Amino acid sequence: MTSPDGVSDELSERRGRHAELTELVEQANWRYHVLDSPTVSDAQYDAWMRELRAIEDEFPELRTPDSPTQKIGAPISTDFAAVSHLQRMESLDNAFNAADLVAWQVRAEGLVEAEPGPYLCELKIDGLAIALVYEKGRLVRAATRGDGSTGEDVTPNVRTVRGVPDRLTGDDFPDLVEVRGEVFLPVAGFEKLNEQIMDAGRPAFANPRNAAAGSLRQKDPRITARRPLQMIVHGVGKWQGAAPPKTQSEMYDRLRSFGLPVSDLYRVVHGLIEVQAFVDYYNEHRHDPAYEIDGVVVKVDRIDVQRQLGSTSKFPRWAIAFKYPPEEVNTKLRDIHVGVGRTGRVTPYAVMEPVVVAGSTVERATLHNASEVVRKGVLIGDTIVLRKAGDVIPEIVGPVIDLRDGTERAFVMPTHCPECGTELAYEREGDADLRCPNTRFCLAQLRERIFFAAGRKAFDIEGLGYVAATALTQPLPPHDVNPPVRTEADLFDLTMDRLLPIRSIVRDQDTGQPKTDRETGEQKEVSFFATKAGAPSKNAEKMLEQLAKAKIQPLWRVLVALSIRHVGPPTAQALADEFRSLDAIANATEEELAAVDGIGAGVAAAIIDWFAVDWHRDIVTRWKAAGVRMEDEPPADRGPQTLEGLTFVVTGTLAAYTRDEAAAAITTRGGKVTASVSKKTSFLIAGENAGSKHDKATKLGVPILEEAAFQTLLTEGPEAVSPPAEPAEEADGPEAVSPPAEPAEEADGPEAVSPPAEPAADSPTGLTEE
């Protein structure tokens, strides 16, 4: 018997059974290998697999590569493939005071015939935005927000998140629905997780949001499953197949009835007075919820009015985020120490009594240079005001002068390097920063350079963090013999035999001095690369494995890892694209280097100076001998080169991209990314706090694209965008209230106008340079 489409009834029946068994087996695999909570016996699982194989033996066309019978091992990893959202995930405009809320309401009133209210007020969770797609009630995909149009497929990991149903409940859910929400770590779960991580000797997460993002993007979902992640749904994208609710609040009721996690901490109100009351209440009680919040989201409740209001190129007009100001707290300034960075810059930093600010414990904050200490007017022993700039970077605002009792003392900048004893000096007249000129032999600089070379912007060597870099670069006890790594040249010559004898001196976090055993008086030591039994540790094995993989990194990463002054990722990529090999760069003249877009005379001179040093050239020679790739392959076909011939500068903070990801999106389409704005720049891509590059682009008439326009450029090409019009008087956002960041003196590319990254959690000082 054959069906109308030519398929036998028997095959059709067996195909249905095959699909049913496949789902049963995959669910069983998931619960067993990832969730550690099996729901079927081994015998039942084996019976399903036998039946699957029998069907495939009878009908070989069903034996596809994605059949459970063809998969090796358990489904425990994800490659984070790029996927398109069914509807674009928009960001929200911001309000910072009552006047901003009034302006938002007035704009809305001018676009609709009736009063836009009532309004729904809900807490703005400081988490990771996620879109879930359910088809016929079954979860088929979960993706990160990404660029709003395209995100990363994290479905296996999201399946492990508590409260996220694999199947919707009830019988009135739509055939297709894309729901949006935030994945987060509750504060209590975050604190417990950090305790576990620190007990295991690993660095703690900086804050709950970072912990949530890191947990969700694990390549092994079993790790994600062990983290106490939760999710709250707060919106809907695509809705197809059932009558949608008429209000946002009714939508929440429906979503809750489907078994989706919806917050109870929202309220429907009828005017801005009630909106402001809700905002004010949670500003005073922002730590009452079980999770971190950074504001309140206000939405027009009626969905028909939402549709009338529509969206700008960037934001929905029917919603706005009221952002709370950074928290400020008082604490005691215990002392001011100095740290030495990879380029020799000596930076004062504050050591404070630990205090919780914006949800995380802070005990260190950079003071940049001696002049900054004087400018802020802080004395050692002061009670100081501390805040987190943008709820991220710890910043000392100033002293509480009225609390001084006369015991305070001024900070005195040291005259010699605290680690190698070399006299400090300014590199050039007029410099703000003192430096240690002992570049070759200062162990502090070497440690920082090794840590930097292993970082994500360079070789990206997992397992070579700050603790490992310290262990590799400090003299070996007990007789202070030479460290295992005396220069970057030694990095790729490391072997297990060289790692196992390494024992690190345990040092006090505040003073940096060696700790001693109370009974014996001897210095405390710890073995970093060997177990107590003397066998190789997992740290050692992972580091050597990652070092081997690092040898095939692209040329631009090698350039960054060399720590050439002013050569960060954008400059390195421009050089690699132009010269294709390290030898060609080393042999280029200053004029040839300066001719590369975005390089200029200053960077060219720094490159020439670097290669003029014999021990620098030795690094290159030995890395090459160890098998590090020193040239790029000819560019392969990377798809349509829609941006070929165009030059870009990326600056500020983008919501959907890191600056490296934005640069990669441009270069894969044939465009060039440079570090500085000039008349040759085709477009400036400007995120929040764009700073001086935005000003220069405006002065030179360079077209400036905000993130939404950047997305259009990537998807539709340069002809789809045009220079933005002058901002309307009603425009508002963080750039309207934040001064542009001062460019770092020696930072390269976008780093010059963005705050430094969160300090490395396992750094003894808690601070990193540049």
Side-chain angles (χ1 to χ4, degrees), residues 165-490:
D166 191 58
R167 287 186 178 276
L168 301 180
T169 58
D171 55 5
D172 63 339
F173 48 77
D175 294 335
L176 173 68
V177 61
E178 184 184 36
V179 296
R180 279 82 182 271
E182 297 285 322
V183 170
F184 62 92
L185 268 175
V187 175
F190 166 74
E191 292 172 351
K192 184 176 180 180
L193 174 62
N194 263 353
E195 289 176 4
Q196 295 170 345
I197 288 175
M198 289 186 289
D199 287 344
R202 301 195 305 274
F205 284 107
N207 54 56
R209 189 190 185 284
N210 285 2
S215 299
L216 194 64
R217 300 188 76 256
Q218 292 288 329
K219 292 188 176 180
D220 185 346
R222 288 176 298 185
I223 298 176
T224 306
R226 292 195 291 268
R227 306 279 171 84
L229 292 172
Q230 296 182 26
M231 182 176 181
I232 285 181
V233 173
H234 55 56
V236 169
K238 190 79 170 180
W239 179 290
Q240 182 178 307
K246 295 181 179 181
T247 66
Q248 189 81 20
S249 49
E250 290 175 8
M251 178 76 75
Y252 287 178
D253 292 339
R254 288 284 295 279
L255 294 176
R256 188 181 289 109
S257 73
F258 298 162
L260 290 161
V262 179
S263 173
D264 292 321
L265 301 179
Y266 69 86
R267 182 182 300 168
V268 177
V269 300
H270 295 281
L272 287 193
I273 293 177
E274 291 179 73
V275 168
Q276 191 64 53
F278 186 96
V279 168
D280 291 343
Y281 176 85
Y282 278 104
N283 191 25
E284 296 177 6
H285 298 82
R286 63 189 293 182
H287 297 299
D288 287 1
Y291 41 83
E292 287 293 313
I293 64 172
D294 57 3
V296 167
V297 177
V298 184
K299 299 176 178 177
V300 172
D301 193 37
R302 289 173 52 191
I303 292 175
D304 62 332
V305 178
Q306 291 182 9
R307 292 196 184 100
Q308 290 178 46
L309 290 170
S311 301
T312 67
S313 61
K314 191 172 184 180
F315 310 117
R317 296 188 180 94
W318 49 267
I320 194 165
F322 189 103
K323 298 293 292 292
Y324 290 137
E327 288 186 328
E328 294 186 350
V329 297
N330 288 0
T331 189
K332 202 78 171 178
L333 177 59
R334 290 176 171 175
D335 206 347
I336 297 177
H337 296 163
V338 296
V340 183
R342 65 187 175 92
T343 62
R345 186 170 68 184
V346 179
T347 305
Y349 63 92
V351 179
M352 303 164 292
E353 290 183 359
V355 62
V356 176
V357 54
S360 58
T361 301
V362 175
E363 54 186 325
R364 285 170 175 75
T366 182
L367 285 164
H368 303 293
N369 53 54
S371 299
E372 183 73 359
V373 179
V374 174
R375 188 185 72 80
K376 288 186 179 291
V378 293
L379 302 177
I380 297 169
D382 266 337
T383 297
I384 58 172
V385 178
L386 180 75
R387 71 180 177 197
K388 276 195 170 184
D391 279 358
V392 176
I393 308 300
E395 176 189 13
I396 292 175
V397 180
V400 183
I401 296 176
D402 289 345
L403 293 180
R404 285 179 175 168
D405 59 13
T407 62
E408 298 80 14
R409 57 189 172 87
F411 166 70
V412 178
M413 189 73 178
T415 58
H416 290 74
C417 176
E419 297 218 29
C420 72
T422 302
E423 185 174 2
L424 304 177
Y426 294 106
E427 188 173 55
R428 293 179 297 271
E429 186 177 350
D431 277 359
D433 300 312
L434 282 167
R435 296 181 185 274
C436 172
N438 185 20
T439 308
R440 172 68 178 84
F441 296 106
C442 178
L443 294 184
Q445 294 182 58
L446 174 60
R447 176 183 65 241
E448 299 295 331
R449 292 198 304 268
I450 293 296
F451 176 60
F452 179 79
R456 291 187 176 181
K457 292 185 177 181
F459 280 124
D460 196 12
I461 301 171
E462 192 176 348
L464 211 174
Y466 202 89
V467 174
T470 302
L472 290 171
T473 56
Q474 70 180 18
L476 295 174
H479 303 298
D480 289 337
V481 297
N482 286 328
V485 173
R486 292 170 292 175
T487 169
E488 295 94 311
D490 294 329

Side-chain angles (χ1 to χ4, degrees), residues 522-606:
E522 295 180 352
Q523 290 182 350
K524 290 184 177 180
E525 299 174 7
V526 62
S527 178
F528 187 75
F529 297 109
T531 65
K532 290 182 179 179
S537 68
K538 290 184 178 180
N539 284 332
E541 292 174 346
K542 177 183 284 187
M543 192 180 75
L544 290 179
E545 177 185 332
Q546 293 295 317
L547 276 167
K549 291 181 179 179
K551 294 179 181 181
I552 59 172
Q553 289 281 28
L555 175 61
W556 73 265
R557 289 186 174 272
V558 180
L559 277 169
V560 173
L562 291 173
S563 281
I564 303 171
R565 289 284 297 278
H566 308 303
V567 179
T571 298
Q573 288 170 345
L575 289 166
D577 288 344
E578 183 70 25
F579 291 100
R580 312 301 302 173
S581 77
L582 197 61
D583 285 342
I585 295 170
N587 294 325
T589 65
E590 188 170 334
E591 291 74 19
E592 289 171 335
L593 292 167
V596 178
D597 283 345
I599 301 301
V603 179

Side-chain angles (χ1 to χ4, degrees), residues 121-140:
C121 300
E122 61 189 7
L123 302 182
K124 187 175 183 296
I125 302 170
D126 194 14
L128 188 70
I130 293 293
L132 309 177
V133 177
Y134 287 88
E135 292 181 3
K136 304 294 185 183
R138 179 172 175 263
L139 178 64
V140 297

